[in-house]
């Protein structure tokens, strides 16, 4: 059974830092892409950052220059380093893992349960 688990959330003051951690297990298929999403109360879930298996990264404009996504392919893990946090970064952060079953044809996508990040002003 595939599991995706996040950790590292918490309460931090504005200007502070947090590091989120995502671990995927239970699949024999290679990971294509790992992404971090977030959802604030009353808002839609939005993409924060993603990292592809070739190392290419993408970021939402709102976090560019402050957040850094990285991964460890050998361990099927990913990280989101969040610096210069702002109150508007407050949300539940979710990890999404996309496994390649057949290249270019089929993939399987899994979500973690989320981790709360709260930034106080």
């Amino acid at each position: 059974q595939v599991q995706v688990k996040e950790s590292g959330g918490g309460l931090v003051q504005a200007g502070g830092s947090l590091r989120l951690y995502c671990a995927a297990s239970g699949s024999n298929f290679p990971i294509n892409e790992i992404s971090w999403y977030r959802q604030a109360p009353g808002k839609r879930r939005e993409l924060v950052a993603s990292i592809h298996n070739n190392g290419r990264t993408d970021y939402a404009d709102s976090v560019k220059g402050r957040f850094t996504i990285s991964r460890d392919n050998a361990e099927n893990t990913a990280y989101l380093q969040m610096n210069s946090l702002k109150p508007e970064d407050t949300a539940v952060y979710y990890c999404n893992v996309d496994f390649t079953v057949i290249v270019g044809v089929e993939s399987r996508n899994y979500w973690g349960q989320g981790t709360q990040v709260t930034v106080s002003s």
Side-chain angles (χ1 to χ4, degrees):
Q1 181 178 357
V2 175
Q3 289 189 324
V4 176
K5 187 172 178 61
E6 307 97 334
S7 62
L11 173 64
V12 64
Q13 288 188 331
S17 299
L18 281 175
R19 184 175 173 88
L20 303 185
Y21 173 81
C22 172
S25 61
S27 175
N28 292 323
F29 297 114
I31 294 175
N32 175 38
E33 182 177 281
I34 301 178
S35 302
W36 286 97
Y37 287 75
R38 66 186 181 187
Q39 187 167 20
K43 295 188 177 181
R44 298 177 64 179
R45 190 172 296 189
E46 62 175 356
L47 177 65
V48 176
S50 61
I51 184 166
H52 303 264
N53 60 1
N54 62 6
R56 191 190 83 214
T57 57
D58 296 294
Y59 295 93
D61 288 342
S62 60
V63 307
K64 282 181 182 177
R66 300 188 298 122
F67 291 10
T68 303
I69 188 171
S70 59
R71 64 189 279 180
D72 182 335
N73 290 333
E75 298 294 330
N76 282 352
T77 56
Y79 307 89
L80 185 68
Q81 178 66 42
M82 306 186 295
N83 298 328
S84 301
L85 282 161
K86 304 174 181 180
E88 51 263 43
D89 294 317
T90 295
V92 178
Y93 283 70
Y94 297 91
C95 182
N96 180 275
V97 180
D98 188 75
F99 294 90
T100 298
V101 178
I102 303 173
V103 176
V105 176
E106 181 182 353
S107 63
R108 294 180 185 172
N109 195 269
Y110 298 88
W111 291 91
Q113 80 289 348
T115 184
Q116 176 70 47
V117 171
T118 303
V119 185
S120 63
S121 57

